[in-house]
Amino acid sequence: MVSPVETFRSLHHGRPPGAPLVLPGPWDAASAHAFEEAGFPALATPSAGVAASLGYEDGATPADEMFAAVARIVRAVDVPVSADIEGGYGLPPKELVERLLETGAVGCNLEDSHRGVLKDPREHADWLAEVRQAAGDRIFLNARVDTFIRGLPDPDRAIERAALYVAAGADCVYPIGAPVDVLPLLRAGIEGPINMVAKPDGESVRELGGLGATRVTFGPGLQRQAAAALSRVAGELRGAWLDQTR
């Protein structure tokens, strides 16, 4: 029998250009269920979206609450779920892996910056290797490369970091904030799957796939769209209620 992590890993390989893996980002059990009902084969939680649902600023969610939220999302669906666990919350690799596996998640995002500052890439690669050793094949590692959002726009620097992380055991590389026009360069220089973010006013999923993205996620974008829609409904409801009381 194929395990959920094997299913999730297989979704990243053998994909034709223009048909990347699309992973919506649930922020709670209800949104996860909605995405599963829509037919998506897997999901990937956004830390910022989960933080907003719990009443925290992005990056301020306590580890216990993040893991608990991920566990609720995993329990709500039958498809594989990967979790954005930010920089790992300072946990030793073995404990980090154990806590992630306890949630039922099959994968995770791990950032290579802390409090806005890029980590030393070799030290981070060594840490990723420890995570991989502790996880074995039980977790799909998506290594985030933060150069583009930390003031280092040269794609060669992102490619250098990506090579270190892939050598350390990362299954996928996530050059967050990379301009779309450098995606072909990244595709040519990075071995293995590449994760890109789709933006409401940006290129389509198909276009991102054609340029080299293996998988497409949405960050907190879907949660923010849902919150904006709810605000509009709340405003309309408030207006209707006021009309009735006049």
Side-chain angles (χ1 to χ4, degrees):
M1 183 176 179
V2 178
S3 68
V5 68
E6 289 173 322
T7 297
F8 187 70
R9 187 171 279 114
S10 69
L11 290 171
H12 292 76
H13 298 283
R15 308 198 69 87
L21 173 63
V22 178
L23 297 175
W27 54 94
D28 60 13
S31 59
H33 183 67
F35 292 137
E36 181 185 39
E37 285 289 298
F40 290 99
L43 307 173
T45 70
S47 60
V50 173
S53 75
L54 297 174
Y56 292 102
E57 295 294 324
D58 184 20
T61 308
D64 288 350
E65 294 198 44
M66 182 62 76
F67 286 120
V70 171
R72 288 191 293 271
I73 289 169
V74 171
R75 287 197 301 268
V77 296
D78 292 323
V79 297
V81 176
S82 183
D84 183 345
I85 52 173
E86 304 177 292
Y89 307 109
L91 297 172
K94 187 175 185 295
E95 182 180 352
L96 179 66
V97 168
E98 290 173 350
R99 296 201 64 178
L100 183 64
L101 290 172
E102 285 172 359
T103 70
V106 301
C108 64
N109 291 358
L110 290 170
E111 304 169 2
D112 72 344
S113 64
H114 178 64
R115 295 181 178 176
V117 178
L118 286 166
K119 298 177 182 178
D120 178 274
R122 295 189 181 278
E123 291 179 3
H124 186 63
D126 289 343
W127 182 76
L128 286 175
E130 292 182 43
V131 174
R132 169 53 71 206
Q133 183 177 13
D137 292 332
R138 297 176 295 170
I139 290 176
F140 185 97
L141 294 180
N142 188 30
R144 209 175 85 172
V145 177
D146 290 0
T147 52
F148 294 101
I149 62 170
R150 303 302 182 207
L152 199 61
D154 183 352
D156 287 340
R157 302 291 79 78
I159 291 171
E160 289 169 0
R161 285 176 174 259
L164 290 171
Y165 303 161
V166 170
D171 295 286
C172 184
V173 175
Y174 178 14
I176 187 171
V180 173
D181 60 358
V182 306
L183 180 51
L185 293 175
L186 297 176
R187 176 67 285 166
I190 294 175
E191 180 182 350
I194 296 177
N195 186 154
M196 288 289 285
V197 173
K199 300 177 181 178
D201 57 350
E203 284 73 14
S204 69
V205 166
R206 184 175 296 277
E207 288 170 327
L208 290 173
L211 290 169
T214 309
R215 81 182 208 178
V216 174
T217 53
F218 302 86
L222 299 175
Q223 181 271 329
R224 289 172 180 170
Q225 288 183 42
L230 183 58
S231 292
R232 289 193 295 271
V233 171
E236 293 168 1
L237 179 62
R238 172 67 173 170
W241 181 77
L242 287 175
D243 286 343
Q244 290 176 357
T245 57
R246 284 175 183 154

